[in-house]
Amino acid sequence: WKVEIYNKIYNSLLYTIQDAYTGTITGYDNSKIGNSNGIELLLEKKGAKDWGGWLSYTYSIAKYKDNNSDWYYSDHDQTHTLSLAGTFPLFDHYQVLTNWLISSGKPYTEITGSTYDSSRSVYVPIKNTTNSSRLPGYNNLTITIEQDKPFWPLDTLHGSSYIGVSNLLNAKNIYGYSWNDDFSQKTELKMLPLMIIFGTKLQIN
């Protein structure tokens, strides 16, 4: 088992200066700072007959700040992340691999409305506080059966092959939103649903 506590401080990060109305980039500076802190717990167990498993939980907060803003969540911040993985022998030359990842949703900036710019004939979005909203949580259970040699005709080489199912629970994972022209409606941008996966891994010495 292992417990890790960390605090990371970033300085002089690149910041883009944008026009508040049009969103056009008007300049750059290095006023942006960042802070990331959290705790990670790892538990791992290995058996005598090639089985093993581990659990990892992370609680973290990652934020940024520049000269023109208060602290806000970074795009990659995921407050809670839980990973469960296991390897179990099936029979000669085969094993089952499991990987279950559950996490909090990442931050995003909500659009609350729009104004019409007649000079450009476009709608300009009215945005909420930067990254003050959260996407739904992420959930992906993947189970595969792995053979300790590649598929034919590569079976004379060193490596392995596998077949399995990704997103076995068919979770509706969302990675973002898109809005219509006047920003009155938003559409979910979904990740892949339940799907069959297969492949081969080659080891080159």
Side-chain angles (χ1 to χ4, degrees):
W1 64 273
K2 180 178 73 172
V3 176
E4 180 178 349
I5 301 174
Y6 64 89
N7 178 259
K8 302 175 183 179
I9 300 174
Y10 309 95
N11 294 295
S12 302
L13 301 175
L14 181 63
Y15 167 68
T16 56
I17 303 172
Q18 295 179 298
D19 185 282
Y21 184 63
T22 65
T24 303
I25 296 176
T26 58
Y28 303 89
D29 67 28
N30 292 93
S31 66
K32 192 173 180 180
I33 59 176
N35 180 269
S36 177
N37 55 78
I39 182 171
E40 179 177 0
L41 169 66
L42 175 65
L43 302 174
E44 184 175 6
K45 177 68 175 177
K46 293 182 179 180
K49 295 184 178 180
D50 298 328
W51 69 268
W54 56 267
L55 176 152
S56 174
Y57 169 74
T58 302
Y59 173 82
S60 65
I61 298 293
K63 291 186 175 183
Y64 288 134
K65 185 182 187 302
D66 56 66
N67 284 339
N68 300 314
S69 76
D70 295 323
W71 286 97
Y72 60 91
Y73 289 106
S74 66
D75 291 341
H76 63 273
D77 178 77
Q78 285 182 295
T79 307
H80 302 281
T81 304
L82 175 65
S83 297
L84 298 169
T87 302
F88 309 95
L90 192 59
F91 42 82
D92 287 347
H93 308 296
Y94 290 88
Q95 60 182 348
V96 177
L97 308 178
T98 63
N99 190 350
W100 195 0
L101 178 61
I102 305 170
S103 68
S104 304
K106 293 184 178 181
Y108 78 99
T109 303
E110 183 68 276
I111 294 177
T112 59
S114 65
T115 58
Y116 186 70
D117 183 352
S118 58
S119 64
R120 298 184 297 147
S121 299
V122 296
Y123 286 91
V124 179
I126 300 172
K127 297 182 179 181
N128 206 341
T129 305
T130 303
N131 285 350
S132 59
S133 299
R134 289 272 178 176
L135 297 170
Y138 177 81
N139 187 334
N140 190 344
L141 173 61
T142 298
I143 297 180
T144 59
I145 297 176
E146 185 176 73
Q147 183 185 20
D148 62 4
K149 64 178 181 179
F151 289 126
W152 181 90
L154 304 173
D155 52 346
T156 58
L157 302 176
H158 293 289
S160 62
S161 53
Y162 63 90
I163 185 169
V165 181
S166 179
N167 194 9
L168 182 61
L169 302 178
N170 200 29
K172 187 178 71 173
N173 296 312
I174 298 172
Y175 69 86
Y177 298 103
S178 65
W179 279 264
N180 61 352
D181 290 343
D182 64 358
F183 300 95
S184 61
Q185 294 181 340
K186 67 180 181 181
T187 303
E188 298 173 345
L189 303 175
K190 300 177 183 178
M191 300 182 193
L192 293 173
L194 182 151
M195 63 181 301
I196 303 298
I197 58 173
F198 61 90
T200 190
K201 304 174 186 176
L202 298 178
Q203 179 179 340
I204 300 175
N205 296 325

